[in-house]
């Protein structure tokens, strides 16, 4: 079974670069990668917070949040 | 040809977690991943800095630095 990976972003330039490079670099044989734009999917901000996401872009892999560089704090998206 | 990916760390718990999850999640069909412990390979700190690395753990993918969470500032490793 593949591991779920969720990449949260907000459309910022730092986010897009991380999406096109880091999120796209994950092994498709082992990961199902979902891309979530929190600016357009505000109900999912709470889900991201529960996973430990504090800023975007962030990648949640196997339930753990990894913040990749810094685009925006989650609080500004609410 | 595979893209070169270098994961820089310093043995800290945040680094180890990122290595075992994010660095290990990269697609081996597309990336040659090198793991560099900057505490044990100090001559390579300058190389990391040139790639834009400011703290560890960091992943340099195709020449761009992605800082993954925060373990330690590069300056404390010198």
């Amino acid at each position: 079974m593949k591991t779920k990976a969720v990449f949260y972003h907000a459309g910022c330039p730092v986010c897009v670069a991380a999406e096109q490079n880091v999120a796209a670099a994950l092994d498709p044989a082992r990961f199902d990668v979902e891309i979530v734009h929190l600016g357009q999917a505000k109900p999912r901000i709470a889900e991201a917070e529960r996973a430990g996401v504090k800023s975007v872009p962030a990648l949640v892999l196997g339930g753990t949040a990894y913040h990749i560089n810094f685009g925006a704090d989650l609080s500004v998206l609410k």
Side-chain angles (χ1 to χ4, degrees), chain A residues 30-59:
Chain A
R30 290 179 289 147
F31 297 92
D32 270 325
V33 184
E34 183 186 10
I35 308 289
V36 177
H37 189 317
L38 289 177
Q40 294 169 356
K42 289 185 186 282
R44 298 193 65 176
I45 292 177
E47 163 201 306
E49 281 184 320
R50 280 194 301 274
V53 174
K54 302 203 180 312
S55 62
V56 287
L59 181 68

Side-chain angles (χ1 to χ4, degrees), chain A residues 5-27:
Chain A
V6 187
F7 180 80
Y8 294 101
H9 73 110
C12 57
V14 171
C15 296
V16 173
E19 178 186 342
Q20 293 177 344
N21 289 284
V22 182
L26 300 180
D27 185 356

